[in-house]
Amino acid sequence: MTEHVEQLEFQAETHQLLELMIHSVYSNKDTFLRELISNASDALDKLRLESYKDKDLHVDTSDLHVELEVDKDARILTVRDNGIGMSRAEVVDLIGTLAKSGTAELRKKLNDAKSDAAAEELIGQFGIGFYSTFMVADKVALTTRKAGETEGTRWESEGQSTYTIETLDEAPQGTTVTLHLKPADEDDHLFDYTQEWKLREIVKKYSDFIAWPVRMKVERTVTEDSGEEGEEKAERVIVEDQTLNSMKALWTRPRSEVGDEEYKEFYKHVSHGWDDPLEIIPMKAEGTFEYQALLFIPSHAPFDLFTRDHKRGVQLYVKRVFIMDNCEELMPEYLRFVKGVVDAQDLSLNVSREILQQDRQIQMIRKRLVKKVLSTVKDIQGAEDQTNYQTFWKEFGRVLKEGLLSDFDNRETLLQVSSFASTHSDSEVTTLAQYVERMAEGQDSIYFMTGESRQQIESSPHIEAFKAKGREVLILTDPVDEMWVGSVTEFDGKPFQSIAKGEIDLETEEEKKASEALREQQDKDFADVLSWLGKTLDESVKEVRLTNRLTTSPACLVGDVYDFTPMLERMYRASGQAVPESKRILELNPSHPLVTGLRDAYFTRKDDADADKVPELSETAELLYGTAVLAEGGELKDPARFAQILTDRLTRTL
């Protein structure tokens, strides 16, 4: 029967993960069956699609279904489908090992989970539904044959450190999962999964909407009447196939006819998640082209949202025929967290990703889906109870802002629904509309600063004058912020202005008049020393000038309006892109003792300083520049020299 049998060890992390799942207590072990039926449904979808695409694939699709089989005496539950099946290589990749990143992170989070619900949610997030079978079974066997292949594969494990895999000469097409069930233990929320009522309950709760019949052989007692008067009616036990689910496509039913629980379970099916959706978005379009859609905004971001392996897009159906699982053409990258189903009426069943990219109807559907999702976010934002919006922004705000770079048609809406940290509050975020409402009289720009952390920005010299003047500044710390602020110029007619670029003027006209004489005198007093500093620091800065943006710090570095920020330069270099180093502008606080002291020392020994005969002054200039670099969280080109100069200076003061 077998040709090739191997006993293999689980990957170390997979084994530890199994240990956690098997020996940890989860309150809802029933969900293992949902995972198996969901996998079976996917396999049936894929087979029907493959049969449309490949006319040479000789498979019978007349009775595609999922079957449950129970052996009460042996305590065995079998879940069988006649779907696409798997090859030996696919079994090893998908079942024998955990073909997902982040396993170590999951183990840590499972250990740290404070509740059963949190643990279940994590299992779903990490896409390991098949492994949930070991919560209810001592041994799990999987037999499968891929459509179009002649050999089958059998995989078996007791959830310990090893599993066996063998090649079979013969096997039915599809996949059969056989569970050798543990004894029932109600204290451990482990029920008897050989009971008909329990299996009915689980299928009705979790899988009623599956498009394929979920069947089970059930015993039924029938009473037969012989027709003879006075004779007792005879009872006979018969066995018949019964379909346990309604198979109604949820997206085709009016929302008024669907309960929230049905929507929640459907969401968990299409998202392979364990959380409840934050928002449900049903859609129906009629006219030039018709489609129905049922979209969901999750309540939690998946662990791999920012990884290259993350699958985005919604499921695409044509006339209720499954076409593809993650249709990227229907959802832009910045809405990759949206899950759901789109069922189009007029597309070809042989549609491919290449055709989709050029299809006008798909492009129109995509536009409408995006506008509907964004309008839903706007409704959430405008609700009296802000809990859902706060959850949404915390989980997906960073992703949504990516749209500011790519979606020009919806940029204004994206700006409206976005929120940002600001100096107005230590804990609450603000919308741009709220910022504009609070703008001071005479203020015509929306001030912002980018950086790696709020603490770094609030400690920056650039923000000193804004604090002193009571001007609000947006605090932008997400990496994407460095990108979009360079391409988005304004909101509601108010231009965005970085407080770390260009020249900043926070004075009123009256203040300018009052300080005009002082500024003229300072420009005159500092002209020579600024010129000398420019020459001394020529390799590091392109200009040295006075500023009124500083109140307590001696100096800061700023860029020209269109210069890259240091953080953006680092991001480009980290991604392997060559970025030429750009010099920045050193701005000095003319009221700071260090700056005035340097000016006085320079004038005392001006001739020697210009001739580079006073190394102490040149070193002071280097220290002044170095402290400005460090104050904004930058990196010194020669930290050892900076440390040596500073050490020498400190030694002289003792």
Side-chain angles (χ1 to χ4, degrees):
M1 186 69 177
T2 62
E3 291 183 358
H4 183 198
V5 182
E6 287 183 283
Q7 179 168 318
L8 304 172
E9 290 190 0
F10 282 110
Q11 291 177 341
E13 288 192 343
T14 308
H15 174 55
Q16 293 167 16
L17 181 59
L18 279 169
E19 288 289 310
L20 271 175
M21 294 192 66
I22 295 168
H23 300 296
S24 298
V25 177
Y26 302 106
S27 62
N28 194 0
K29 294 181 171 64
D30 294 357
T31 45
F32 83 93
L33 187 56
R34 181 189 74 187
E35 291 299 309
L36 293 182
I37 293 176
S38 181
N39 290 343
S41 173
D42 290 344
L44 295 169
D45 284 338
K46 290 172 182 175
L47 178 65
R48 183 162 68 164
L49 177 62
E50 199 62 33
S51 69
Y52 282 122
K53 292 166 61 177
D54 185 359
K55 299 304 180 184
D56 295 327
L57 184 66
H58 299 295
V59 291
D60 182 6
T61 59
S62 61
D63 184 30
L64 299 179
H65 63 278
V66 183
E67 182 181 354
L68 306 184
E69 185 179 304
V70 172
D71 184 336
K72 290 187 177 181
D73 295 333
R75 292 196 53 73
I76 292 176
L77 171 64
T78 301
V79 181
R80 181 181 297 111
D81 70 73
N82 54 347
I84 192 72
M86 290 182 283
S87 65
R88 181 187 179 101
E90 288 171 334
V91 171
V92 172
D93 184 41
L94 299 174
I95 306 298
T97 62
L98 190 61
K100 295 280 184 183
S101 59
T103 317
E105 181 186 351
L106 172 61
R107 289 207 326 274
K108 181 180 184 302
K109 289 187 175 182
L110 277 173
N111 278 323
D112 295 343
K114 302 297 183 184
S115 66
D116 299 336
E120 289 171 3
E121 178 186 303
L122 285 166
I123 294 171
Q125 282 189 22
F126 281 74
I128 54 173
F130 177 80
Y131 288 91
S132 65
T133 54
F134 288 103
M135 296 191 296
V136 301
D138 290 319
K139 182 168 70 173
V140 178
L142 178 143
T143 303
T144 185
R145 178 172 66 83
K146 189 164 187 175
E149 296 188 358
T150 56
E151 293 182 335
T153 303
R154 178 179 172 83
W155 178 97
E156 188 174 295
S157 176
E158 295 180 356
Q160 302 300 318
S161 58
T162 63
Y163 62 90
T164 61
I165 188 164
E166 57 184 305
T167 300
L168 307 178
D169 294 331
E170 296 180 359
Q173 176 194 299
T175 300
T176 299
V177 180
T178 304
L179 309 180
H180 296 260
L181 297 169
K182 297 177 181 179
D185 183 353
E186 292 196 14
D187 292 336
D188 190 29
H189 303 283
L190 181 59
F191 300 101
D192 185 354
Y193 297 107
T194 65
Q195 295 294 317
E196 178 191 328
W197 70 268
K198 186 61 181 175
L199 297 176
R200 283 183 180 277
E201 177 188 76
I202 296 173
V203 172
K204 184 67 179 174
K205 180 177 181 181
Y206 293 117
S207 307
D208 192 53
F209 46 78
I210 295 294
W212 307 103
V214 180
R215 298 175 185 158
M216 181 170 65
K217 287 186 179 348
V218 298
E219 293 183 353
R220 188 164 62 87
T221 302
V222 296
T223 303
E224 296 180 335
D225 191 345
S226 65
E228 298 291 333
E229 189 175 345
E231 286 192 15
E232 290 187 6
K233 295 180 180 179
E235 291 187 343
R236 186 164 60 92
V237 176
I238 63 172
V239 178
E240 64 180 14
D241 276 333
Q242 286 191 8
T243 299
L244 308 183
N245 59 324
S246 69
M247 295 180 289
K248 292 181 180 177
L250 223 60
W251 61 87
T252 65
R253 296 161 58 188
R255 183 161 188 172
S256 58
E257 295 181 7
V258 184
D260 285 347
E261 286 303 315
E262 289 181 278
Y263 276 133
K264 289 177 182 177
E265 293 310 323
F266 183 75
Y267 160 74
K268 291 173 183 176
H269 168 66
V270 298
S271 69
H272 300 289
W274 295 63
D275 59 323
D276 288 336
L278 187 70
E279 194 67 29
I280 302 163
I281 312 174
M283 294 178 65
K284 185 174 183 178
E286 297 176 340
T288 308
F289 50 87
E290 298 181 5
Y291 67 90
Q292 292 171 305
L294 181 56
L295 306 179
F296 300 91
I297 297 177
S299 53
H300 292 284
F303 80 100
D304 60 348
L305 188 61
F306 292 98
T307 68
R308 290 183 178 179
D309 296 332
H310 180 75
K311 302 292 185 183
R312 69 176 172 94
V314 295
Q315 293 183 355
L316 174 63
Y317 284 72
V318 174
K319 300 182 184 72
R320 292 188 62 181
V321 176
F322 173 80
I323 300 299
M324 62 183 66
D325 208 8
N326 304 106
C327 184
E328 298 179 356
E329 290 74 20
L330 284 171
M331 203 59 65
E333 181 77 17
Y334 74 90
L335 292 180
R336 58 185 176 273
F337 54 86
V338 174
K339 300 299 180 184
V341 167
V342 174
D343 190 352
Q345 298 303 308
D346 301 322
L347 289 176
S348 165
L349 291 174
N350 288 322
V351 68
S352 66
R353 290 194 182 277
E354 291 73 23
I355 295 173
L356 284 175
Q357 290 169 1
Q358 307 299 325
D359 192 278
R360 177 178 172 273
Q361 182 173 337
I362 285 291
Q363 299 306 316
M364 292 302 296
I365 293 175
R366 172 183 168 127
K367 284 185 178 181
R368 293 187 183 184
L369 295 179
V370 170
K371 287 189 179 297
K372 183 64 175 177
V373 171
L374 294 181
S375 69
T376 301
V377 174
K378 200 169 184 178
D379 291 341
I380 298 173
Q381 184 189 45
E384 187 174 342
D385 184 353
Q386 288 287 288
T387 304
N388 280 356
Y389 176 73
Q390 290 168 359
T391 299
F392 170 82
W393 193 254
K394 174 177 173 288
E395 298 292 328
F396 304 112
R398 181 177 163 192
V399 185
L400 198 75
K401 286 187 289 186
E402 293 176 11
L404 293 170
L405 290 165
S406 56
D407 192 347
F408 304 107
D409 293 339
N410 294 295
R411 179 175 281 178
E412 193 64 27
T413 303
L414 286 166
L415 288 172
Q416 290 170 1
V417 301
S418 296
S419 291
F420 308 93
S422 84
T423 53
H424 177 71
S425 171
D426 292 336
S427 56
E428 296 181 1
V429 293
T430 182
T431 65
L432 293 175
Q434 291 169 335
Y435 179 100
V436 171
E437 284 180 10
R438 292 191 295 264
M439 282 173 58
E441 186 178 348
Q443 179 180 343
D444 56 7
S445 298
I446 298 172
Y447 298 119
F448 71 88
M449 184 172 176
T450 59
E452 295 183 356
S453 69
R454 181 181 186 118
Q455 181 181 4
Q456 181 199 81
I457 292 174
E458 290 188 323
S459 302
S460 170
H462 298 96
I463 211 165
E464 292 173 359
F466 292 86
K467 287 181 178 178
K469 293 280 187 180
R471 298 290 175 90
E472 184 176 355
V473 177
L474 298 180
I475 298 174
L476 309 180
T477 57
D478 290 330
V480 69
D481 292 329
E482 290 283 354
M483 309 292 291
W484 73 260
V485 293
S487 58
V488 180
T489 57
E490 64 174 40
F491 172 78
D492 194 22
K494 304 291 191 296
F496 288 100
Q497 183 171 354
S498 170
I499 67 170
K501 287 185 178 182
E503 296 195 52
I504 297 293
D505 185 3
L506 297 179
E507 292 184 331
T508 65
E509 290 301 321
E510 292 182 357
E511 289 173 332
K512 288 179 182 177
K513 289 179 181 178
S515 61
E516 186 176 357
L518 175 61
R519 286 201 312 275
E520 289 179 356
Q521 186 61 47
Q522 287 175 337
D523 289 340
K524 182 179 178 181
D525 292 346
F526 281 88
D528 290 343
V529 73
L530 293 179
S531 177
W532 170 76
L533 281 170
K535 294 176 182 177
T536 303
L537 301 174
D538 179 60
E539 292 186 4
S540 302
V541 301
K542 58 183 173 184
E543 183 185 350
V544 183
R545 68 191 183 200
L546 300 180
T547 184
N548 62 0
R549 81 173 85 214
L550 299 172
T551 58
T552 58
S553 298
C556 69
L557 288 167
V558 300
D560 276 333
V561 176
Y562 299 107
D563 284 353
F564 281 1
T565 64
M567 184 176 173
L568 188 57
E569 286 185 5
R570 290 196 294 272
M571 286 171 56
Y572 275 120
R573 291 193 182 101
S575 66
Q577 298 188 49
V579 179
E581 290 190 17
S582 56
K583 295 181 181 180
R584 301 174 71 207
I585 300 166
L586 179 65
E587 291 193 343
L588 303 181
N589 179 357
S591 302
H592 195 280
L594 175 58
V595 177
T596 56
L598 179 60
R599 177 199 62 191
D600 295 343
Y602 170 76
F603 277 112
T604 301
R605 306 178 65 180
K606 182 177 179 180
D607 293 337
D608 289 341
D610 288 339
D612 291 331
K613 295 180 180 178
V614 191
E616 294 85 356
L617 286 182
S618 297
E619 289 174 354
T620 302
E622 287 187 54
L623 289 175
L624 187 63
Y625 168 75
T627 55
V629 172
L630 295 175
E632 66 174 12
E635 299 176 358
L636 297 169
K637 289 183 180 178
D638 191 349
R641 174 170 172 76
F642 181 86
Q644 184 61 52
I645 295 173
L646 184 60
T647 302
D648 291 344
R649 289 299 178 91
L650 291 173
T651 302
R652 294 176 203 169
T653 64
L654 298 177

